[in-house]
Amino acid sequence: MSRTIKAAATPSTAPSGNDTVGQAVRELIADVRGRGDEAVRELSARFDRWEPESFRLDERRIAEIIGTLDPQVVEDIKTVQANVRRFAEAQRDSMSEIEIETAPGVFLGHRHVPVQSVGAYIPGGRYPLTASAHMTIVTAKAAGVPRVVACTPPIRGEIPAATIAAMHFAGADEIYVLGGVQAVAAMAVGTETIESVDMLAGPGNAYVAEAKRQLFGEVGIDLFAGPTEILVVADEHADPFVAAVDLLSQAEHGPDSPAALITTSRRVADEVQRHIEEILPGMQTGDIAGPAWRDHGQVILADDLDEAYRVADSFAYEHVQILTENPREALDKMHAYGALFLGEGTCVSYGDKVIGTNHVLPTRGAARYTGGLWVGMYLRTVTYQEVREEKSSAELGELCGRAARVELFEGHARSGDVRAAKYAGATLPWTDHYETARA
């Protein structure tokens, strides 16, 4: 049986949706829906002290902004986006379209059709998350989305140049310096100057996440976002210092970010905790990572790795890092996770920032039933049917008539009856149409 060495002081729970955030967001969306651009401008001035002549950046202004950046920053953005694009395109290439003949002249198939417009929200606030531009926009373009609208807030009254560069190089068709619920609502419902989109993607604060939740159905969304999560599975071969550093790397996302260690070694458990306490005081983001570890950190001792993997699956965390002698066995042993990071040479931060897999991943247990954002989320797999042989259509018509009448769907049955009559001479007891025609 596993034993808890350190328990979370404040267990993470799913949001109730019954709070002041929900009501505030509802009112803000209604305001944008009712007053359009006027509401957007007033809300931007109120929340961000940002009221430019135009929220949208034109090509000339984008070029000026990118020109202020260190060339190394630009080169790194392009390198990371190439990694993301390469993987997303490989995912797209793996998705086959099919057409099969199930009976003589009966053809069934499916195609993968891109969503026609996407609104990508790139957060600002505490961190300018350039990586979110790579993950949302590059992936949408790899899927073939023809129109991507991208919004990011100003940071302390300034345009975040690196984020704008990332949005531009990723392929955004429209770029707006606009943040918060007003940005999400404007993209979803449309205004006089911002045409509405079909889908929203990207992370954000509690208000942005709630706005996406409330708008879901009117538009599609990628995922319901929650605090970033990390779980490390370690055996006696793991380096406790590496494990400690990696746990804190994700705890710095926010004071409510859970971080958990499941290990088969009591020595590793104790040393990881000791290293964490030594590292935190000198960590620039220790004021965030410290409360996260204090309130949401966990250390669990498992009898063996099979038990460790079972316990890890019960967490269903966003990021799961495997620091064991044979990390690839987790691919077969584990089932509920957003993304796996195998071995000491791999870390969650690579996934967050540079390696090429998508960092928009399920949280709050959603990994039990969904994966993260990938090129397939921007595609709709749609089916089509065609019956070319009259004999097959007649046979299907007779079958449809019987099957529909079992369910008391007379109208459905008659659609089948008509084809059985037209193509095979069956009688229609509910009409004399074909009898008259034959006469």
Side-chain angles (χ1 to χ4, degrees):
M1 295 290 291
S2 61
R3 289 171 288 156
T4 299
I5 306 300
K6 179 190 183 304
T10 309
S12 297
T13 57
S16 66
N18 182 24
D19 54 27
T20 55
V21 172
Q23 182 58 36
V25 168
R26 194 170 295 108
E27 292 172 0
L28 294 174
I29 292 174
D31 194 17
V32 173
R33 193 187 301 277
R35 297 194 297 130
D37 284 337
E38 182 182 8
V40 168
R41 182 165 293 279
E42 288 182 11
L43 295 173
S44 179
R46 185 202 310 176
F47 294 121
D48 289 326
R49 298 194 182 102
W50 183 252
E51 198 176 2
E53 182 177 339
S54 173
F55 293 106
R56 183 173 178 177
L57 301 178
D58 60 26
E59 291 297 320
R60 180 189 61 80
R61 185 69 180 114
I62 291 170
E64 289 175 353
I65 292 167
I66 295 173
T68 66
L69 292 170
D70 185 320
Q72 185 65 58
V73 171
V74 173
E75 182 180 341
D76 289 344
I77 288 172
K78 291 180 177 181
T79 299
V80 172
Q81 290 187 350
N83 292 341
V84 175
R85 187 175 293 109
R86 187 178 301 114
F87 187 67
E89 288 176 347
Q91 288 182 314
R92 179 66 182 89
D93 290 343
S94 75
M95 301 177 67
S96 300
E97 297 188 346
I98 63 170
E99 181 174 284
I100 63 172
E101 189 173 10
T102 59
V106 179
F107 295 89
L108 309 180
H110 79 221
R111 302 184 65 201
H112 304 298
V113 181
V115 172
Q116 291 300 289
S117 58
V118 168
Y121 187 81
I122 316 303
R126 185 186 298 126
Y127 307 114
L129 294 182
T130 57
S132 290
H134 317 330
M135 305 303 173
T136 55
I137 302 169
V138 169
T139 308
K141 284 299 181 181
V145 176
R147 175 176 174 251
V148 177
V149 181
C151 287
T152 195
I155 298 179
R156 292 179 292 278
E158 300 291 333
I159 294 175
T163 304
I164 298 302
M167 295 157 82
H168 173 71
F169 294 129
D173 300 286
E174 301 168 30
I175 295 177
Y176 297 83
V177 181
L178 181 65
V181 175
Q182 58 271 24
V184 174
M187 290 189 289
V189 307
T191 71
E192 297 91 329
T193 59
I194 302 176
E195 184 181 347
S196 63
V197 299
D198 299 318
M199 177 180 174
L200 295 170
N205 63 20
Y207 288 86
V208 167
E210 175 63 16
K212 287 173 63 179
R213 188 187 72 80
Q214 291 188 19
L215 289 161
F216 177 56
E218 184 170 355
V219 293
I221 66 169
D222 49 357
L223 294 167
F224 294 111
T228 291
E229 305 160 342
I230 181 173
L231 187 151
V232 173
V233 176
D235 62 11
E236 69 275 14
H237 301 283
D239 184 331
F241 184 76
V242 170
V245 170
D246 290 345
L247 286 164
L248 291 178
S249 75
Q250 296 301 297
E252 75 175 356
H253 272 276
D256 55 352
S257 291
L261 169 69
I262 302 174
T263 180
T264 57
S265 167
R266 181 63 193 245
R267 176 189 62 82
V268 170
D270 292 342
E271 290 189 20
V272 167
Q273 293 181 88
R274 178 173 60 81
H275 285 308
I276 286 176
E277 296 307 319
E278 290 172 350
I279 295 168
L280 274 171
M283 190 173 174
Q284 291 92 329
T285 51
D287 60 328
I288 298 167
W293 176 250
R294 180 193 67 217
D295 296 337
H296 302 282
Q298 298 185 64
V299 178
I300 295 172
L301 187 63
D303 289 335
D304 54 37
L305 276 176
D306 282 341
E307 182 181 54
Y309 292 135
R310 286 195 297 272
V311 175
D313 267 345
S314 72
F315 277 64
Y317 264 13
E318 178 185 17
H319 307 102
V320 177
Q321 189 163 331
I322 309 297
L323 298 179
T324 63
E325 186 176 24
N326 300 302
R328 288 186 69 87
E329 73 176 5
L331 290 170
D332 296 320
K333 298 281 189 177
M334 287 198 64
H335 310 284
Y337 53 84
L340 278 182
F341 300 82
L342 303 176
E344 188 180 275
T346 318
C347 61
V348 175
S349 295
Y350 286 177
D352 278 351
K353 305 298 181 185
V354 297
I355 204 168
T357 49
N358 207 293
H359 78 192
V360 181
L361 297 166
T363 59
R364 298 189 187 276
R368 293 176 296 108
Y369 58 82
T370 187
L373 179 63
W374 70 296
V375 70
M377 277 195 177
Y378 292 115
L379 297 165
R380 295 164 294 125
T381 301
V382 294
T383 60
Y384 62 90
Q385 310 84 37
E386 182 181 14
V387 182
R388 301 175 190 168
E389 296 287 338
E390 292 184 354
K391 181 175 183 294
S392 290
S393 183
E395 290 172 353
L396 285 169
E398 291 177 355
L399 177 62
C400 179
R402 294 192 299 270
R405 288 189 171 96
V406 168
E407 298 177 343
L408 307 182
F409 274 78
E410 180 63 22
H412 286 64
R414 291 182 178 190
S415 285
D417 294 347
V418 164
R419 284 151 182 86
K422 185 165 187 175
Y423 299 138
T427 60
L428 294 177
W430 45 271
T431 182
D432 62 357
H433 176 82
Y434 283 110
E435 291 298 326
T436 301
R438 280 193 286 270

